[in-house]
Amino acid sequence: AYGLSLQDIAGAVAADNLNIPAGHVTRGAREITLRMTGEIGSPRELGDLRLPLRSGRTVPLSEVAKIVDGTEELRESSTYNGEPVIGVSINKRSDGNTVLVARDVYRALDELKKSIDKDITITITSDNAPFVRASVSDVLSNVMIGILLTALLLLLFLHNWQQTLVAALSMPVSVIATFLLMDQAGFSLNVMSLLALGISIGTLVTNSIVIIENITRFVHLGMDPEEAAIKGTAEVAVAVAASTLTNIVVFTPIAFMSGIIGRFFLQFGLTVVYATIFSVVVSFTIVPMLAARLIKPQASDRDPHALGFWARIGEKWDKFYDDLARGYRGVLDRMLERRRRWILLTVAVFFGSLFLFRFVGGEFMPRIDQNTVIVSMNLPPGASLDRTSEAAERVADVLRKHTEVEGMLVKVGGGQRSVEDAAITAQLVDRSKRGMHVTDFINVLRPELAGIPDAEIMITSEGGATGSGESDFVIDVLSSDQKALEAIGDSVYQIFHRVPELVEIETSRKAGKPEFAVVPKRHQAAEQGLNAAAIGSLMRAAYEGVEAGVYRERGEEYDVKVKYAEASRRDPFVIKDMPLPTRSGAAVPLSDVGEVTARFGESQIMRKDKQRMIELTANIASGSLSEARAAFDRELAKIDVPSSVVVKHGGMSEVQDESFRSIFTALILAIVLLYVVMAAMMESFVHPITIMLTLPLALIGVAMALFLSGETINIFSLMSVVMLTGIVVNNAILMLDYTSQLRNQGMKMREALLEACSTRLRPIVMANLAIVVGMIPQIFGGSEGSELRTPMAVVQIGGVVVSALLTLFIIPIAYTYIDRLTVRGRRERREAR
């Protein structure tokens, strides 16, 4: 009626609602500032603002607009346990400490509670610090239990508290000393560094076991304890040093791997290296020193009836072990008579064990139970905030029925989400009170949430395979040919539905939100002095609003926005009749200068490697990532994918491939370094090969352990395999180093093998059982972070046990064949003829 447009009103309000500094006036020694203060002081004053008309008259703003003192349009909402909340997320920096940050946050909250109204409640809905503290505490307790169990094992074998004290002391001393280098390297006591100590407990004592057992043997042969300490240590010094160097060279490549896996295992690898260094220092210094003072020779004329109970047990144990050593020597002697048969049988067992890996699943890392379930929900494009909130509450109602849920945060819209997206974060009670893993709980929820209409629901766990609530299985389809891209994308989407392991399937190729698109009629618009920019600006001002300054009240600032009334904005068809001011001063409806069309817009355009991409995602309900990949690849092979389209695994599959490549590279480098170190220590290029035959023997145990335990091949189990390469060679080093010493003294190869293997049987059995016993606390699940420790312990125990058993028999047989390649071996064969 007055010929005013939104721009006219917004411009007039902005021009009449501001403060302008106008310079200053100087009067003698004084200076006075000039300022025009035209800011509006109240909503009533804003309504009285006069708007100039083209006729020269003015009208108050209240006559052409409704002035509302309200809030911005709500585009997000959050509730906690059904009550409206304002959520605040606090994240630590990359170099921050989770526990310390949480501690400081709690202190700040305590101070804040003193200054806010009592009716305002502050609730912690999610906190990772308790999980970290519990994980660290659990690993630390497992380390202590491992030390205790290993000490009891040593007491059983040695049945002498002095010898046990000498050997067992190396474990806590090595661990405590390791903290010095950890501190210098800037490491903290975290899950990975303590896990390294927990996994290493058994290996820390092996050097001391070998030395103390050899010293004891010389003492029992009648040698003076001090002389026995010197000679016993010197005799095995090369073997112990070689064993230590093999452990160090294995972990050095681990500590310097690149990518995410390198950051993950940096502290782990270096902590093991530090502990190993101190363990050999202790075994060469403290152990011989204490052994010379504490170990006493046995009396040869002891009366068995005068011995105490524990001493009689020791006598029976020694008799049992002597019988075991004689029996082992006899069995090995007979096996050397039929060497080819046992070699062929071992080769057959090795290839049979490789077949077991087909039944072992694979994944990037195990699912960690952090007592949190995240339900992501997407409604069809165009759903309103109220509709999404209603659907989210239905999800929340389902979750509330479960006693495992103790708190629930519902967030609709906000952040990177639109109003048709929602995230429901359920905080679960402690795992010990649930009786089921978070993965099992998710599988219980899936069928219960499947009945919510029109909702695409994805359920993940915090700290799961991805660690960030992302999908388990991702496929990227890339192409520059849009038509081919869409066709293959649809085909892959159908393949997802044919893979039984996959659930909650989604594709990025979705219909966008419904929209009214205005295509300018350029000729008609130009005649009226309008263009696309002007039309678009007027449309945005009408529906989104245009800011016209601020309104200040009691120290607070409020934006002043000018836009269409709510009734007009709720009716999309009003836009056709929206008046647009022309250069002549008249107004024309939008339909005269633009064509209004109802359609669906594109939801998103994704690109990767300079090509358009369709991303398809799903979660894995059963089985492992590797099993799902294999099933998908079989189905994909059945369709014809044109050369212009690339179908590749993304997400965790891509990370898994990269990580596995890094680990296998570290493994190959570790094997090469092992050979170099052993060749230098043994002054031979041949028999390091004999020793390294223990590696495939260990792989037999790894396959059996993973198959029987149900654990998967992941970065932790593979890292344990790399660790094994530095552990299992120690048995062969002990046997063959002593064999070489006996042969240097003039003994024939066969007799030297039988003597060396039977003599070294006791320290080998003790050292390997110490490693196994030290691992036992790590293998039991149910506690925080046990998903990371269990696969490592399973692989270690399986590899150590099977490798040690086979090494005692197969390595001596292999030695007789490979020794033919040495100069001494060829000479002895010529002499035997």
Side-chain angles (χ1 to χ4, degrees), residues 606-626:
M606 302 183 69
R607 289 185 176 274
K608 187 176 183 179
D609 298 335
K610 300 180 180 180
Q611 298 183 86
R612 279 207 172 193
M613 180 182 75
I614 294 176
E615 184 182 71
L616 299 102
T617 62
N619 282 328
I620 300 174
S622 61
S624 64
L625 177 60
S626 294

Side-chain angles (χ1 to χ4, degrees), residues 6-82:
L6 282 174
Q7 270 76 5
D8 294 333
I9 298 174
V13 172
D16 228 353
N17 178 33
L18 42 75
N19 293 339
I20 301 176
H24 61 275
V25 175
T26 303
R27 295 186 63 185
R30 297 183 61 194
E31 185 174 277
I32 302 172
T33 300
L34 298 179
R35 183 184 303 276
M36 193 285 297
T37 56
E39 281 191 347
I40 295 169
S42 67
R44 181 175 180 179
E45 184 180 348
L46 181 62
D48 292 337
L49 190 95
R50 309 296 295 187
L51 302 179
L53 302 178
R54 289 183 176 82
S55 62
R57 296 187 306 110
T58 60
V59 294
L61 177 62
S62 58
E63 192 169 325
V64 297
K66 182 179 181 181
I67 300 171
V68 179
D69 186 3
T71 60
E72 288 192 15
E73 182 183 2
L74 190 63
R75 301 291 292 174
E76 61 179 297
S77 68
S78 297
T79 62
Y80 181 71
N81 290 342

Side-chain angles (χ1 to χ4, degrees), residues 336 339 343 682 686-687 690-691 693 735-737 739-740 743 749-750 752-753 809-822 824:
L336 288 172
R339 297 174 299 170
I343 290 292
M682 302 179 68
V686 176
H687 283 306
T690 310
I691 294 174
L693 290 177
M735 293 191 306
L736 300 190
D737 176 67
T739 300
S740 179
R743 293 181 71 184
M749 180 184 67
R750 185 185 180 95
L753 272 174
F809 297 99
I810 302 303
I811 293 302
I813 295 175
Y815 182 89
T816 62
Y817 283 108
I818 298 176
D819 189 66
R820 299 174 182 177
L821 303 176
T822 66
R824 181 166 57 184

Side-chain angles (χ1 to χ4, degrees), residues 594-613:
E595 183 177 349
V596 183
T597 307
R599 67 179 189 183
F600 287 92
E602 288 193 77
S603 58
Q604 58 181 332
I605 298 176
M606 302 183 69
R607 289 185 176 274
K608 187 176 183 179
D609 298 335
K610 300 180 180 180
Q611 298 183 86
R612 279 207 172 193
M613 180 182 75

Side-chain angles (χ1 to χ4, degrees), residues 551-562:
Y551 159 61
R552 292 184 175 88
E553 182 181 8
R554 297 176 183 174
E556 298 288 340
E557 281 191 1
Y558 305 93
D559 292 331
V560 176
K561 274 196 173 183
V562 179

